[in-house]
Amino acid sequence: MELTRRGMMQGALAGATAGALGLRAGWARAALELSGATVEVLSDGHLMLPAEFIFGPMPGEELAGVLQPFGMEPAAALTPECNVTLLRKDDMVVLFDAGAGATFQDSAGRLGEALDAAGVAPEEITHVVFTHGHPDHLWGVLDDFDEPFFSGAQHLIGKAEWDYWIDPKTVESIDAGRTAFAVGAQRRLALMEDSMTFFGDGEEILPGVAAHMTPGHTPGHMSFEIRAGNESVMVIGDAIGNHHVAFARPDWLSGSDQDQPMAAATRSALMDRLASEQMRFVGFHLPGGLGRAERDGSSYRFVGENA
């Protein structure tokens, strides 16, 4: 299926803790206090996706049964949230992903307003860390004049992800519906090259922040474990992309992933770890962002924490 901006447009809060942190309902999805650190989930708006973009490869009859408890239909348009993670620790103010910016979808690109509600100016951000290079995570890195939106920040991206998007051959080899993704990523990353720092799997990229390779959604997709004292939370980007079928059947192939079998294997392994360790995590497209995974027989369920 060709996925264009126009086609996607045709597809069709905060809790008490967030209030205590001075966040405005609607922009703040959730907040979590760790030892000496605060993790806040801010809204960049939401996407408009045709159902086929995710459900295309899935078995129709079984899919209907999975979606029924959520009040969803297999053919209905999807409007997943976009949740950007903000970490405040010591003298660091860190964003995980930069949002969609103004040129991807009209329903997204609201991160500037969310930061304003959180009392943070873009120039106060010290680091921007990317999970991957898709438009809703990367395109907000530049302003309307192609200048860095977070002018005082160091920008960090996994080397494998950088290599994939900056390679001119990617535009030719990527699925036709994602050609605009590749063109947009290459242009923005090229403009940001001088301020970009690269890292690999397993590295501590910032004090208390470790990178974990979670490939498949994109070739170099990364998740990040934030640890403070004995507490931790994982920023998982799109490694687990929704709260319904990804939890009920993490082994199913999803149309949203570039390497679908690899992404399913990654998702299954990550889900098992998160459920086993009962580690909180922030998912970019999960309701409210913050939550846990619980086992439900042979599958899982998402337990949100909007507080």
Side-chain angles (χ1 to χ4, degrees):
M1 177 191 62
E2 182 178 2
L3 181 65
T4 64
R5 182 176 183 274
R6 177 175 295 176
M8 293 169 75
M9 286 299 296
Q10 290 173 339
L13 79 202
T17 302
L21 290 167
L23 303 177
R24 187 181 307 163
W27 295 121
R29 297 301 192 194
L32 177 65
E33 291 280 8
L34 302 178
S35 300
T38 301
V39 175
E40 299 159 45
V41 183
L42 305 180
S43 175
D44 190 48
H46 66 274
L47 299 183
M48 302 286 288
L49 301 174
E52 185 183 355
F53 183 66
I54 293 177
F55 300 148
M58 299 178 185
E61 291 186 8
E62 292 181 70
L63 175 63
V66 169
L67 295 178
Q68 191 274 332
F70 299 93
M72 299 174 61
E73 297 288 341
L78 303 171
T79 57
E81 297 177 6
C82 297
N83 300 304
V84 176
T85 303
L86 177 72
L87 168 65
R88 308 196 214 203
K89 180 181 179 184
D90 300 327
D91 59 349
M92 299 188 307
V93 184
V94 185
L95 275 180
F96 293 87
D97 292 325
T103 60
F104 183 51
Q105 290 194 7
D106 294 343
S107 58
R110 311 296 176 81
L111 181 57
E113 297 165 77
L115 286 169
D116 182 63
V120 179
E123 58 269 21
E124 295 177 306
I125 300 297
T126 60
H127 303 83
V128 181
V129 181
F130 296 100
T131 61
H132 64 294
H134 278 166
D136 49 330
H137 299 255
L138 173 67
W139 285 16
V141 73
L142 298 177
D143 64 17
D144 293 340
F145 303 97
D146 278 350
E147 296 292 334
F149 185 68
F150 306 101
S151 57
Q154 178 186 4
H155 295 73
L156 302 92
I157 192 170
K159 187 61 163 58
E161 188 74 356
W162 168 273
D163 288 345
Y164 174 74
W165 292 111
I166 206 70
D167 185 348
K169 296 179 182 177
T170 296
V171 175
E172 301 171 0
S173 62
I174 200 169
D175 178 86
R178 290 177 166 90
T179 300
F181 291 13
V183 172
Q186 187 181 106
R187 185 178 75 81
R188 287 164 176 82
L189 291 175
L191 289 170
M192 294 298 298
E193 184 169 9
D194 289 344
S195 64
M196 201 70 73
T197 298
F198 307 116
F199 56 85
D201 184 27
E203 291 187 29
E204 185 176 48
I205 63 170
L206 295 169
V209 180
H212 297 283
M213 189 78 160
T214 47
H217 184 68
T218 62
H221 187 287
M222 287 281 187
S223 296
F224 303 95
E225 184 177 357
I226 302 169
R227 184 166 291 278
N230 295 322
E231 301 175 287
S232 62
V233 61
M234 184 86 78
V235 179
I236 63 172
D238 286 1
I240 301 173
N242 59 71
H243 67 292
H244 35 80
V245 67
F247 282 80
R249 292 302 305 264
D251 57 317
W252 279 2
L253 303 186
S254 172
S256 62
D257 299 321
Q258 291 187 212
D259 186 329
Q260 295 175 12
M262 180 182 289
T266 293
R267 184 165 50 249
S268 296
L270 179 60
M271 195 82 74
D272 180 69
R273 177 187 175 186
L274 294 171
S276 297
E277 299 181 13
Q278 278 298 285
M279 183 188 298
R280 287 183 172 102
F281 54 87
V282 181
F284 196 85
H285 296 302
L286 301 181
L290 178 66
R292 301 177 187 267
E294 289 189 352
R295 296 188 189 277
D296 184 12
S298 60
S299 62
Y300 304 85
R301 62 174 173 265
F302 174 64
V303 181
E305 299 185 20
N306 293 323

